[in-house]
Amino acid sequence: MRTSIPWVVAVIAWGMLVACSPDTYGGTESSAAASSSPPDVCASADALRSSLSALADVQVVQEGKDALDKAWTRVEDDWAQLADDAGDQYAEQVDGVQADADSVQAAVDAAGDDPSAQTLGAAAGAVGVFLQTAGSLVDEVSSTC
């Protein structure tokens, strides 16, 4: 049995080397969870924060649907990028914000079909909810930057 002890030690040592190798699971950032590096998420959070600020400045009822459309289009692009970059780590929050984004889109569409004070007011309300939830997610993501 004495001759088998060196082999057992060699096998254990080899296993430890393989486990610590940068080419094994967790050694490099090639996994799907590491698909977006922190700078990507940080940049997309900053972009969305800027477009949310511009959207918040729109006086929907006073300025009308064209002003809302312009600001919303920018937000949609920036939101899509942040959702893509942060989706793995913040999946639950992304889903919640996406639901609010869908509500804004439906309200914007309704205001386009019937641009009245009522539909524009509903769009403004949906935008307000979206600004809150998206802003909270941006704050959370930015806190890791």
Side-chain angles (χ1 to χ4, degrees):
M1 291 301 265
R2 280 189 191 169
T3 58
S4 64
I5 292 175
W7 283 104
V8 171
V9 171
V11 169
I12 292 172
W14 180 80
M16 289 174 57
L17 284 173
V18 169
C20 294
S21 171
D23 291 333
T24 60
Y25 178 78
T28 64
E29 293 199 17
S30 62
S31 68
S35 62
S36 291
S37 64
D40 291 342
V41 172
C42 296
S44 58
D46 288 344
L48 182 57
R49 183 183 308 279
S50 176
S51 61
L52 289 174
S53 179
L55 179 62
D57 289 342
V58 174
Q59 300 298 314
V60 177
V61 176
Q62 293 83 359
E63 295 177 47
K65 185 174 178 311
D66 288 340
L68 177 59
D69 281 340
K70 183 178 177 182
W72 180 243
T73 298
R74 181 176 167 205
V75 167
E76 282 183 305
D77 293 342
D78 292 340
W79 164 241
Q81 187 62 54
L82 180 63
D84 187 48
D85 291 344
D88 289 340
Q89 187 172 0
Y90 300 95
E92 188 174 319
Q93 296 96 322
V94 166
D95 290 345
V97 175
Q98 184 59 55
D100 292 338
D102 293 342
S103 294
V104 171
Q105 188 60 58
V108 168
D109 291 344
D113 294 341
D114 176 26
S116 65
Q118 183 178 2
T119 58
L120 290 171
V127 165
V129 171
F130 175 79
L131 288 171
Q132 277 189 311
T133 58
S136 293
L137 178 58
V138 167
D139 290 344
E140 188 173 344
V141 169
S142 294
S143 72
T144 65
C145 298

